[in-house]
Amino acid sequence: MKTLPYDVPGNSSTPLFLAPQAGVSESPFRRLCRSFGADVVLTEFVSAEGIVRGSGRTADYLRFDDAERPIGIQIFGADPGTMAEAAALVTEVYAPDFVDINFGCPVKKVVKRNGGSGCLRDLGLVGRIVRAVVDASTLPVTAKIRSGFDEETRDAVAIGRVCRDAGARTVTLHPRTRADMYSGHARWEEIAALVGVLDIPVIGNGDVRSGADARRMRDRTGCDGVMIARGCHGAPWLFHQARAALDGVPVSAEPDVRTRFEICVRHAENAVSFEGDADKAVREFRKHLGWYTKGLAGGRRLRQRLFQVRDLREVRYVLERYLDESVEGGCAEPAGGFIVTGSCAGRPDPVRSAPAGR
């Protein structure tokens, strides 16, 4: 395994990374994932233009606590000069452990400005951006890439080499193209190919949804770290399971429903505390409520109610009613740590008549 350009506590030979995800990888979720075993976390991807302009909202994305280290701030943009200026500001003002460049985001509003995976249409531009950021920052610079913009430009090895040659100290590969978005399967063989040609660490990303997936990715590709993204939505304990699988020890079962809800409420409380604006925090947290309740018996009706909550008191009430009248009443009993769903016909509606917020 190749050595990462920043210190990672512990003796893990295959560190686990929380991926940079817009609207997900906020500080409360990063800290929660760290508590379950994530070794390295990254911020949501942040616009270089927003950083340079001094946008207040952008500054909120850059906040982190020392307890989150090692942490990388990920920036995106298509102008090398602006990216360099943003990297210099991030380095001086926020001093993360590394600066990561986003060449992977497939979202239309980012790509239409040639940012994220849009840059992959011009590998010369990719090299200029990496070189400009490296020259502007005293911190290690890393890059997150996709395999290409589309099938015609698909060449993960060429993209990785350009990043390495321009000064990137680590490359993370999500082996899909921008055109793939999140469809199909991540081609892990492309991670293995990149590992084989680069003399810097390669982090694998894509389709890690279980501890076993993390172990398979490491074993099949030889990657120097495993990055988890959508698989941990509503399931931060995935990092604990992945660590066990990587270390060859028994993997814990899924938490029962009550434990899942306790983790959810703790996450919500931290989100409200971090945001400061409780109303806004709860509105933005509704997506997490949907993920935490995925797969539960009566989950659709539960989510309909949760998507209307307006404060933490209401969140707690709806979840407790579900536990009291559904789980403990026999509709979704945890068995061996896994959720066993069944018919709730004839049972009271566990999410009806919750008290209105304020």
Side-chain angles (χ1 to χ4, degrees):
M1 293 290 179
K2 300 152 192 167
T3 303
L4 292 169
Y6 42 82
D7 292 332
V8 178
N11 299 313
S12 171
S13 60
T14 309
L16 292 167
F17 292 70
L18 170 64
Q21 302 166 87
V24 178
S25 300
E26 309 106 328
S27 181
F29 191 60
R30 296 194 301 259
R31 284 181 280 139
L32 185 60
C33 290
R34 284 299 307 275
S35 75
F36 279 101
D39 297 295
V40 183
V41 299
L42 287 97
T43 64
E44 303 175 67
F45 63 87
V46 187
S47 164
E49 291 182 4
I51 295 171
V52 171
R53 290 198 307 267
S55 162
R57 185 57 179 165
T58 298
D60 288 340
Y61 296 142
L62 299 171
R63 284 190 294 154
F64 66 88
D65 188 271
D66 277 344
E68 298 175 48
R69 294 184 183 275
I71 184 171
I73 287 179
Q74 189 185 73
I75 61 176
F76 75 91
D79 178 72
T82 303
M83 289 286 282
E85 188 175 353
L89 286 168
V90 161
T91 300
E92 179 180 357
V93 177
Y94 297 95
D97 296 281
F98 59 101
V99 177
D100 191 61
I101 303 173
N102 182 318
F103 291 126
C105 178
V107 176
K108 183 177 180 180
K109 68 179 181 180
V110 173
V111 171
K112 73 178 182 180
R113 291 184 289 171
N114 209 32
S117 58
C119 295
L120 300 180
R121 291 171 289 195
D122 182 352
L123 295 193
L125 175 62
V126 169
R128 292 193 296 276
I129 288 173
V130 175
R131 195 169 297 109
V133 172
V134 168
D135 290 345
S137 177
T138 57
L139 297 171
V141 173
T142 64
K144 187 172 189 294
I145 66 173
R146 283 193 169 224
S147 296
F149 188 77
D150 51 24
E151 282 302 312
E152 185 177 344
T153 60
R154 187 169 203 140
D155 192 341
V157 168
I159 298 166
R161 279 177 165 156
V162 166
C163 292
R164 187 272 315 273
D165 293 347
R169 304 278 297 279
T170 299
V171 173
T172 298
L173 172 61
H174 181 165
R176 286 182 169 92
T177 66
R178 190 270 167 173
D180 291 334
M181 297 297 285
Y182 298 102
S183 64
H185 299 287
R187 299 184 191 178
W188 288 358
E189 64 273 16
E190 295 181 335
I191 299 173
L194 194 58
V195 170
V197 300
L198 294 191
D199 55 355
I200 59 174
V202 173
I203 312 303
N205 174 222
D207 293 355
V208 176
R209 300 185 180 93
S210 69
D213 288 340
R215 176 66 179 259
R216 280 193 293 269
M217 175 182 278
R218 193 269 311 275
D219 291 350
R220 291 181 185 177
T221 70
C223 61
D224 301 286
V226 173
M227 180 174 284
I228 298 176
R230 291 176 295 156
C232 68
H233 291 182
W237 50 83
L238 174 55
F239 286 96
H240 180 74
Q241 295 169 323
R243 172 52 53 214
L246 289 167
D247 292 347
V249 301
V251 176
S252 61
E254 294 293 295
D256 61 36
V257 183
R258 179 171 291 279
T259 302
R260 184 191 297 205
F261 285 0
E262 288 171 352
I263 295 167
C264 174
V265 169
R266 174 156 60 101
H267 186 181
E269 290 170 345
N270 289 337
V272 169
S273 176
F274 181 78
E275 175 64 41
D277 182 334
D279 292 343
K280 179 181 178 183
V282 171
R283 286 196 305 272
E284 293 183 348
F285 194 78
R286 289 171 181 166
K287 60 181 176 290
H288 290 283
L289 294 172
W291 292 327
Y292 277 112
T293 56
K294 185 177 180 180
L296 299 185
R300 181 177 179 181
R301 187 179 294 274
L302 173 60
R303 285 186 289 278
Q304 287 174 342
R305 185 65 192 91
L306 287 170
F307 289 159
Q308 300 173 37
V309 296
R310 289 164 286 180
D311 57 34
L312 277 173
R313 180 176 62 91
E314 207 173 349
V315 171
R316 295 188 190 100
Y317 181 88
V318 172
L319 296 179
E320 282 297 327
R321 282 291 300 272
Y322 181 88
L323 286 170
D324 291 344
E325 299 184 8
S326 180
V327 177
E328 295 175 357
C331 288
E333 289 286 352
F338 288 91
I339 307 307
V340 179
T341 60
S343 171
C344 290
R347 301 290 304 169
D349 181 355
V351 294
R352 186 177 55 205
S353 303
R358 286 195 312 283

